[in-house]
């Protein structure tokens, strides 16, 4: 198979892996099953896993020479991506997440769009799919406006230039031209890299033709940690690059501030009423959290109207955890130096 009389470019799949023993086999299998006719390799950057991930990858690599493992001593996502990219050999780099499963036509479509658009990076839709009621609730939150806002890379949209892209299919030379991923940014490093690609005259391209299955975190604890960390780094990036901030990034922190002030005012009003002071009116502050609860219940039930009762119930728990976790993280990240904070706390 050729494009314009030229052989298809070789493709390098790069994947940072850390404690993903339950997901990595399916993620790698989806790469080996691609219907792309060009040459390819799979480069896995292995962090210091403690759950048997590295042993499993060693077995897969021994069984298939197209799978190579390189050591990611730092263990972070951007460090792993850079290690894998440097070890790669082909002109097209496909970023893959251990929680993602690519459809068989993903690479074929991505390379075609990369060539037709002339873009430096092409990405598509992250379609979250859950297997348990909890994971299904998280998937609904990802794909609904009441959850993560219904952005194009979650719900789809028109093909064209974009601010950033989910995962990404890159021209390898452009990655090196802009200095690869910033290893000082532990979350949101894809957004920051795409910012540099665009600032140096490149194009980031969204296409709804690309759809990737994403497996949500399997527990509430892991979900909260994910969104607090994501919020921390989004706040850090908002402070570092104020000219690139969209209004939607400030909605969750504004909501958290509003909830906090409303609850505080309401409590002051209750205490004032009990003491007979003149601040009982402050109890009206409870209107703010009441409105938020109503928003979550009405919006959540609407989003889960076709789901089972267990998924609906979980969604009413998941939504506040995402909103508040992300919002609190953003405020802390915006007001502090996240890189120093995460270093000191071991994140």
């Amino acid at each position: 198979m050729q494009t314009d009389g030229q052989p298809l470019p070789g493709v390098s799949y790069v994947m940072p892996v850390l404690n993903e023993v339950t997901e990595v086999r399916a993620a790698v299998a989806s790469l080996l099953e691609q219907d792309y006719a060009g040459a390819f390799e799979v480069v896995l950057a292995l962090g210091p896993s403690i759950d048997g991930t590295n042993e499993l990858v060693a077995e897969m690599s021994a069984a298939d020479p197209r799978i190579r493992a390189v050591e990611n001593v730092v263990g972070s996502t951007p460090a792993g991506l850079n290690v894998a990219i440097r070890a790669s050999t082909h002109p097209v780099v496909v970023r893959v997440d251990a929680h993602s499963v690519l459809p068989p036509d993903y690479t074929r479509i991505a390379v075609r769009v990369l060539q037709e658009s002339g873009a430096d990076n092409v990405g598509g839709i992250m379609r979250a799919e859950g297997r348990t009621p909890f994971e299904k609730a998280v998937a609904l939150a990802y794909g609904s406006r009441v959850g993560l806002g219904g952005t194009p890379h979650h719900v789809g949209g028109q093909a064209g230039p974009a601010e950033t892209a989910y995962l990404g299919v890159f021209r390898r030379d452009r990655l090196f031209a802009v200095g690869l991923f910033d290893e000082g940014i532990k979350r949101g490093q894809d957004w920051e890299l795409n910012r540099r690609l665009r600032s140096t005259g490149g194009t980031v391209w969204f296409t709804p033709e690309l759809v990737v299955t994403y497996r949500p975190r399997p527990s509430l604890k892991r979900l909260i940690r994910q969104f607090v960390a994501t919020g921390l780094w989004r706040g850090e990036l908002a402070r570092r690059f104020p000219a690139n901030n969209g209004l939607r990034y400030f909605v969750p922190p504004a909501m958290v501030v509003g909830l906090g002030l409303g609850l505080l005012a309401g409590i002051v009003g209750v205490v004032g009423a009990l003491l007979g002071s003149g601040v009982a009116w402050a109890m009206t502050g409870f209107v703010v959290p009441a409105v938020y609860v109503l928003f979550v219940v009405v919006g959540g039930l609407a989003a889960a109207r076709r789901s089972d009762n267990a998924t609906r119930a979980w969604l009413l728990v998941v939504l506040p955890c995402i909103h508040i976790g992300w919002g609190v993280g953003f405020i802390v990240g915006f007001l502090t130096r996240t890189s120093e904070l995460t270093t000191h706390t071991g994140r």
Side-chain angles (χ1 to χ4, degrees), residues 178-313:
V178 298
L180 300 180
F181 289 89
D182 186 337
E183 296 185 18
I185 299 175
K186 302 300 186 293
R187 298 287 181 106
Q189 65 280 145
D190 48 354
W191 178 90
E192 194 278 330
L193 173 65
N194 286 314
R195 181 195 66 83
R196 277 183 281 134
L197 287 173
R198 290 185 289 105
S199 69
T200 55
T203 301
V204 178
W205 193 269
F206 168 80
T207 174
E209 292 184 79
L210 294 179
V211 181
V212 181
T213 298
Y214 173 83
R215 300 299 185 193
R217 297 299 191 273
S219 70
L220 193 61
K221 179 180 178 180
R222 292 182 65 179
L223 179 74
I224 293 172
R225 288 179 60 185
Q226 175 191 5
F227 276 92
V228 169
T230 301
L232 276 168
W233 282 101
R234 185 65 257 179
E236 168 87 1
L237 292 172
R239 181 168 48 78
R240 288 193 196 184
F241 310 107
N244 297 103
N245 291 326
L247 181 62
R248 64 188 178 88
Y249 295 127
F250 292 89
V251 173
M255 183 243 0
V256 168
V257 172
L259 284 176
L261 292 176
L263 286 171
L264 180 61
I267 292 170
V268 169
V270 169
V271 173
L274 292 174
L275 297 178
S277 69
V279 295
W281 58 267
M283 285 191 290
T284 56
F286 285 131
V287 170
V288 177
V291 169
Y292 174 71
V293 170
L294 182 64
F295 167 76
V296 167
V297 172
V298 173
L301 292 179
R305 61 187 179 278
R306 295 188 179 90
S307 303
D308 57 83
N309 290 333
T311 300
R312 290 193 194 99

Side-chain angles (χ1 to χ4, degrees), residues 305-328:
R305 61 187 179 278
R306 295 188 179 90
S307 303
D308 57 83
N309 290 333
T311 300
R312 290 193 194 99
W314 268 120
L315 185 59
L316 300 183
V317 176
V318 163
L319 287 173
C321 289
I322 289 177
H323 297 158
I324 296 173
W326 201 99
V328 169

Side-chain angles (χ1 to χ4, degrees), residues 73-153:
V73 178
V74 176
S76 70
T77 295
L81 286 167
N82 287 346
V83 167
I85 292 167
R86 292 189 182 101
S88 68
T89 60
H90 293 305
V92 175
V93 173
V94 180
R95 177 183 174 177
V96 191
D97 188 276
H99 281 256
S100 62
V101 177
L102 304 188
D105 60 358
Y106 182 88
T107 306
R108 173 168 51 83
I109 293 173
V111 171
R112 171 178 60 78
V113 174
L114 194 70
Q115 294 175 327
E116 291 175 351
S117 66
D120 298 326
N121 180 20
V122 170
I125 299 172
M126 184 188 83
R127 184 179 62 197
E129 289 187 1
R131 292 160 291 195
T132 66
F134 172 77
E135 290 179 3
K136 290 176 182 178
V138 177
L140 283 173
Y142 268 98
S144 67
R145 296 191 181 281
V146 73
L148 295 187
T151 54
H153 75 271

